[in-house]
Every structure is written in C-alpha cells, then in structure tokens.
C-alpha cells in the first residue's frame, strides 16, 4: 500500500514500533552523558572526514549515456558497429539513444548540483570530434563539450574529461585499430587538440579508461564459467587475436597514453594536469601484517605489468617479458620513455580485490587466495564485496610509485533497483556498499595516502556495455522509456557525505 510506506521503506507501524523501543531502552540521560564523556576522544560515529578540498564526483562515459549516435556530424565508433551487430548485446539493446544526455546535459548538470557534486568525470567521444579519427575536426562535436564544460563551471562543478573510454572511431578500426601504431599517434593528435580547445576551462584530463578492458576484452575476450554454463565476455571490436598480437595491442595502448600526455603538455595551457584512469588489478592482504602486506604489494606491481607498472616505471617487468617469451611486445627504449612520461596524478577504478594474497616462501613470494565460494557479492556476479580495496589500492599506488595525487575515478555497484510505491528507490545495498567502501577510503586519507577525490560510478543508470540496460549502476534511476530521472536513496547518501565531506 503506497500510503503505508514512509521514508526508507519502513511501514509506518514499523517506524513507530522502532521509536518506542529505542526510547524504552535508551533513556535520554544515558545518551547525553555517553556523548559528553566521549567528546574529547574518537566518539562512536565521530565524523570520518576527508581532507579539505576533496572532490566529490560522479562518473559516466560518452557511449554509455550520450545517445545522438549519428547526429551533428559524429562519425561511427566501434561500439556503434558492435552494438548494431545482432547477438552482441543483451536484449539487442544499443546506446543509439541511451540517456539522451547529448540533448539533456543541462538537466543532468542540475541533477549533479543537487547531489552536492563538486566534480564530474565524463568522456569525450573521439568520433564526435574527429569523425574519421584524424584529419578534419567536427566543430559541432567540439561545441557540445565546450557547452558542457561551461554548464559545469557555472554550477560550481569541476570538469574531469576522459579522452578515451573505448569508443574508437570505426574509420581507424578499419585501418587496424589498436593493432596499428598509427592509432597511438592519432590518439595523441586528438588529445592535443582537445587540450588546446578546452584547457582554458578544463584543468584535468584523463587519457585512457581501463587499458585491459578494451585491449584484452576487445581483442581476446574471455570464457567464464557461470552457474554450470559458459558465457563469453567481450568488448568491441570483438576480435580474438593470438597472444603476441594482443601484447602488441596492449603496447600501442600504453604508448598512445604516453604520446597523449606529451601532446597535452605541448598544446594545453601551462598547469594542465593529466593522468590515466586505470582499473588497477590489486591484491588485498588477507591478513594485514607486515609480511602479507609486502607480499600483496609485490603481487599488485606484477599484476599491472602491462599497464600501470610500465607507465609508472618505464619498464616491463622481467616476469612479464619472461612469461610472454616469444609473444612479448616489440618496443624500443624510446617507446618506454614516452610511455613513462611524467604524470600529475594517477586515477584508479576500484571495484573489488583482484585476489587476496598471503606471503609465501616460494617464488614469487606470494600466494593468490581465491574468493571463498560463499564470499558475498553485489548484484553482478563479478562484483565480490571487498571494501578494503579502497584502502589498499590507493595505498599501494603511493607506496609502489610515490604518486602524490591519486583520484578514485570509479567505484560503485549495480543494484536490482525497483521504484517503490512512493515513487522512490531504496537501494539499501548500494548505500551499504558506499558507506563500507568510503570508510576504507577515508582511512587511507587519514593515513596520509594522497587521494584528492572520489568519482562514483555512476551518476545515473546507463548502457552497461554487453549487459545493455539491465544492470543499473546509477545513483539516479532512469526510466529509459520516458527519460525520467529519479535520485535513489544512495543519491541522498552521497549528498549527505559530499556536503559534510565525511562518511555519512
Ligand atoms: C567499469 O569497468 C567501466 O569503466 C565502466 O564503463 C562500466 O560501466 C563499469 O565499470 C561497470 O561495469 O571478467 O567477470 O570480471 C569495471 C571493470 C572489468 C568489470 C571487466 C567487469 C568483466 C567481468 N570491469 N569485468 S569479469
């Protein structure tokens, strides 16, 4: 019954009963003296605050929300082509319209403002800017991002664009895509162009989102065993390359990142900051004692050998090259220098531990501990619950590479959201997830790990790649038939945290 439902989905009778019980067990005098006795030390529930100036943001990506896939001179991307291929996306969904954000960006910026967000991470669609990947820019494409940046600034929200969130111009795919070194060059030219045009208002650029997801996911894919069956996970362009060719794709991707960093420095205003947004593979020490912590740290360095480690160290690890053997990427010393171009910050997407680790007497010095069968997870099977990832992942970035600015560029979960009788969405699982993860992030900042901001994935429900519109990752519920946006309970949680700069 709708009128029987009050806030937080409790029935009116439940909330009255709860209030009565609380009053009977905890007389006011007890509550008062307890609070004052604790006031000089860390009281239960003491504000778990973040450093001053901490950015509270939400994240999205172009293909997942914009729609307008063929408007205003936009070129086709590999995701347009892939989603238009029958059988590739669940329920035959495509992001041709998606959240219609291209036309509704003002409404979406207003939503963010209501959430108390001070930063927004979005991605720029490369084929909107360069429909053919290179050559003649499309003025209308640039104009969209320019208007978006203005709208954000006017709302007091700092724009943090990502230059590549997987939507490669199809025209470049036709010439070999990331298998070709020319794509790295083309990416840098596009990155430099964007810095030139936007760096009067945009002070932070992320180069590439999640190297492994589009290199390995798009050029090899994976077969995973789920509930007795096998499902194939892949991303555009949906290729199955031999190991040596895949390693070359990975190399071109990190090279493209490095070349883009240099192009942004050359063509952006002085002071423009740049870094990657990488899904860091990381081990969490199963037991947090010095030997296991050291082992987890070493495992984390090796787990990122092809991506973050070479970007931050300018060298592929010996173990990576040894294991790849004949299939190792072909590269020059000059490539390594470009790949390791100095960065201003490191952005990491953090969802769950890649694995737990324990120290071992045997090489390589750690043991991977798989998730227990009964380890709890979120709505998506792959998303095991591991809040202390938000402690250890940034901590290891700092301890391994001495990074002095870290952003959490994504963190969040899908939820089987339903509109309640009162028209609201009570996503208690997402609120639980947020509180648990951000408690660990706050712990990292209190330890001196230089985390400068947090971007929740995602601002609003959107096109979740191969899963289509079925997996809702937003703090804002979207009815894809009407485009109506409804902030969920998690959005209220986010606002409470952002406005207090503390875990809520
Ligand atoms: C991010 O990827 C993406 O950047 C974003 O676009 C996406 O919408 C969001 O997460 C939510 O998924 O092989 O079983 O682990 C997160 C990292 C890596 C998670 C690939 C899903 C595939 C399933 N993703 N992974 S599994």
């Amino acid at each position: 019954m709708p009128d029987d439902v009050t806030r937080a989905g409790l029935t009116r009778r439940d909330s009255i009963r709860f209030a009565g019980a609380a009053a009977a067990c905890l007389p006011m005098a007890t509550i008062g003296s307890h609070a004052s006795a604790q006031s000089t030390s860390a009281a239960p529930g003491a504000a778990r605050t973040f450093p001053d100036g901490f950015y509270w943001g939400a994240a999205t990506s172009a293909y997942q929300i914009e729609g307008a896939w063929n408007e205003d001179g936009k070129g086709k991307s590999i995701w347009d082509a892939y989603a238009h291929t029958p059988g590739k996306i669940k329920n035959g969904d495509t992001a041709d319209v998606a959240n219609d954000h291209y036309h509704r960006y003002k409404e979406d910026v207003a939503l963010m403002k209501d959430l108390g967000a001070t930063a927004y991470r979005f991605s720029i669609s490369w084929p909107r800017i360069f429909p053919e990947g290179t050559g003649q820019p499309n003025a209308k494409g640039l104009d969209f991002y320019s208007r978006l940046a203005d709208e954000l600034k006017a709302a007091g929200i700092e724009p943090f664009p990502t230059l590549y969130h997987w939507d490669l111009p199809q025209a470049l795919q036709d010439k070999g895509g990331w298998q070709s070194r020319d794509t790295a060059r083309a990416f840098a030219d596009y990155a430099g162009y964007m810095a030139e045009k936007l760096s009067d208002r945009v002070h932070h650029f992320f180069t590439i989102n999640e190297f492994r997801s589009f290199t390995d996911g798009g050029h090899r894919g994976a077969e995973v065993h789920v509930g007795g069956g096998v499902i194939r996970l892949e991303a555009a362009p949906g290729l199955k390359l031999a190991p040596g060719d895949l390693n070359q794709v990975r190399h071109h991707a990190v090279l493209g990142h490095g070349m883009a960093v240099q192009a942004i420095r050359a063509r952006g205003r002085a002071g423009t900051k740049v870094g990657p947004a990488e899904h860091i593979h990381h081990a969490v020490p199963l037991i947090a004692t010095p030997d296991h912590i050291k082992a987890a740290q070493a495992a984390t360095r090796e787990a990122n050998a092809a991506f973050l480690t070479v970007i931050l160290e300018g060298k592929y690890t010996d173990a990576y090259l040894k294991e790849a053997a004949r299939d190792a990427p072909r590269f020059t010393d000059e490539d390594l220098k470009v790949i390791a171009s100095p960065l201003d910050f490191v952005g990491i997407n953090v969802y769950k531990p890649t694995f737990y680790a324990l120290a071992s007497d045997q090489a390589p010095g750690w043991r991977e501990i798989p998730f227990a069968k009964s380890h709890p997870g979120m709505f998506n099977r792959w998303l095991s619950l591991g809040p202390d990832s938000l402690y250890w992942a940034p901590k290891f970035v700092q301890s391994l590479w001495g990074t002095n600015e870290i952003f959490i560029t994504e963190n969040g979960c899908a939820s089987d959201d339903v509109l309640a009788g009162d028209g609201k969405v009570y996503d208690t699982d997402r609120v639980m997830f947020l509180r648990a993860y951000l408690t660990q992030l706050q712990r990292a900042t209190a330890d001196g790990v230089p985390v400068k901001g947090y971007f929740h994935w995602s601002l609003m429900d959107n096109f979740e790649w191969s899963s289509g519109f079925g997996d809702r990752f937003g703090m804002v519920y979207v009815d894809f038939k009407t485009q109506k946006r409804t902030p969920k309970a998690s959005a209220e949680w986010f606002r409470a945290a952002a406005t207090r700069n503390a875990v809520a």
Side-chain angles (χ1 to χ4, degrees):
M1 295 272 166
D3 69 347
D4 208 28
V5 176
T6 60
R7 290 186 55 81
L10 293 171
T11 64
R12 194 161 286 151
R13 209 174 304 128
D14 283 340
S15 37
I16 291 164
R17 207 182 299 132
F18 177 73
C25 302
L26 295 169
M28 288 312 289
T30 312
I31 294 169
S33 63
H34 180 73
S36 61
Q38 293 278 339
S39 62
T40 50
S41 60
R48 285 164 287 170
T49 51
F50 287 85
D52 286 344
F54 189 82
Y55 283 108
W56 287 86
T60 63
S61 88
Y63 186 66
Q64 294 178 274
I65 66 164
E66 284 180 359
W69 75 284
N70 60 358
E71 279 181 49
D72 290 344
K74 175 181 166 296
K76 208 170 164 186
S77 82
I78 57 172
W79 269 94
D80 292 316
Y82 187 76
H84 290 166
T85 308
K88 293 297 189 190
I89 313 291
K90 197 166 161 188
N91 300 322
D93 290 342
T94 74
D96 291 358
V97 178
N99 297 45
D100 195 30
H101 172 77
Y102 189 75
H103 300 113
R104 294 169 196 262
Y105 70 95
K106 288 190 176 174
E107 181 192 335
D108 292 335
V109 171
L111 262 176
M112 284 178 233
K113 194 175 179 188
D114 283 349
L115 258 60
T118 52
Y120 175 45
R121 173 174 177 246
F122 56 99
S123 84
I124 295 173
S125 160
W126 180 353
R128 236 185 242 300
I129 308 295
F130 289 99
E132 298 298 317
T134 57
Q136 219 28 54
N138 171 32
K140 285 185 173 169
L142 175 65
D143 185 55
F144 170 67
Y145 297 106
S146 180
R147 283 181 283 126
L148 176 61
D150 290 341
E151 192 73 15
L152 288 163
K153 293 295 242 193
I157 300 170
E158 197 58 30
F160 282 75
T162 303
L163 293 161
Y164 188 71
H165 201 123
W166 313 346
D167 46 355
L168 186 74
Q170 179 63 38
L172 293 185
Q173 187 61 45
D174 295 341
K175 295 182 194 157
W178 289 104
Q179 284 184 263
S180 164
R181 193 180 166 97
D182 295 344
T183 295
R185 180 76 263 155
F187 176 62
D189 291 343
Y190 146 67
Y193 178 79
M194 291 315 300
E196 192 180 296
K197 298 294 181 189
L198 294 182
S199 62
D200 56 336
R201 286 153 291 159
V202 172
H203 310 302
H204 304 79
F205 286 88
F206 295 112
T207 53
I208 289 182
N209 179 68
E210 296 196 353
F211 292 86
R212 192 187 312 265
S213 298
F214 74 94
T215 56
D216 295 24
H219 301 81
R220 179 179 64 195
E223 265 78 36
V224 293
H225 296 264
V226 179
V230 175
I231 54 165
R232 183 166 160 77
L233 294 172
E234 62 170 44
L239 303 178
K240 274 187 176 179
L241 300 184
D245 295 335
L246 174 62
N247 286 336
Q248 203 60 36
V249 163
R250 291 166 156 199
H251 180 71
H252 293 154
V254 288
L255 183 64
H257 154 85
M259 288 177 160
V261 171
Q262 297 194 346
I264 290 166
R265 302 243 185 267
R267 295 171 69 183
R269 292 205 173 183
T272 303
K273 292 185 166 185
V274 58
E278 169 63 334
H279 183 234
I280 183 173
H281 275 211
H282 60 283
V284 165
L286 188 62
I287 300 165
T289 51
D291 50 339
H292 299 306
I293 293 170
K294 213 174 124 216
Q297 180 183 295
T300 299
R301 174 172 176 267
E302 207 54 66
N304 294 284
F307 307 112
L308 268 189
T309 305
V310 69
I311 286 172
L312 292 160
E313 297 184 12
K315 194 173 168 298
Y316 287 112
T317 66
D318 295 340
Y320 178 67
L321 293 177
K322 195 172 166 213
E323 193 184 317
R326 283 189 305 136
D327 295 320
R330 285 165 281 108
F331 59 89
T332 64
D333 287 348
E334 181 54 27
D335 285 0
L336 294 178
K337 279 201 199 107
V338 174
I339 291 168
S341 298
L343 301 174
D344 299 292
F345 52 75
V346 172
I348 49 175
N349 295 357
V350 178
Y351 287 86
K352 57 158 220 164
T354 309
F355 52 86
Y356 289 91
L358 286 174
S360 165
D361 294 340
Q362 315 210 325
W366 67 84
R367 255 193 322 140
E368 286 191 28
I369 310 300
F371 285 88
K373 239 182 169 177
S374 54
H375 192 103
M378 305 307 293
F379 179 67
N380 289 107
R381 280 171 198 266
W382 61 266
L383 219 181
S384 310
L385 188 64
D388 43 1
S389 273
L390 266 193
Y391 177 79
W392 291 107
K395 181 127 184 136
F396 287 155
V397 170
Q398 181 196 30
S399 59
L400 281 167
W401 300 304
T403 304
N404 49 31
E405 283 196 30
I406 298 169
F407 286 96
I408 304 303
T409 34
E410 286 183 27
N411 169 252
C413 65
S415 175
D416 191 7
D417 295 314
V418 287
L419 287 164
D422 60 357
K424 300 198 173 191
V425 178
Y426 298 101
D427 51 344
T428 59
D429 49 353
R430 183 173 289 104
V431 171
M432 175 274 286
F433 181 98
L434 269 163
R435 184 158 46 230
Y437 275 73
L438 282 158
T439 295
Q440 294 296 326
L441 186 63
Q442 191 275 339
R443 188 182 146 220
T445 61
D447 268 18
V449 180
V451 182
K452 304 296 179 190
Y454 169 88
F455 294 90
H456 188 75
W457 184 274
S458 179
L459 170 66
M460 53 184 166
D461 298 339
N462 56 50
F463 178 84
E464 177 57 18
W465 308 112
S466 302
S467 306
F469 294 103
D471 290 0
R472 296 180 173 273
F473 271 90
M475 292 188 285
V476 174
Y477 183 90
V478 177
D479 179 332
F480 291 101
K481 289 205 182 74
T482 61
Q483 292 296 345
K484 183 168 182 238
R485 277 89 158 125
T486 306
K488 305 175 189 175
S490 55
E492 285 185 44
W493 188 94
F494 182 92
R495 178 178 25 229
T499 52
R500 288 168 177 74
N501 198 28
V503 180

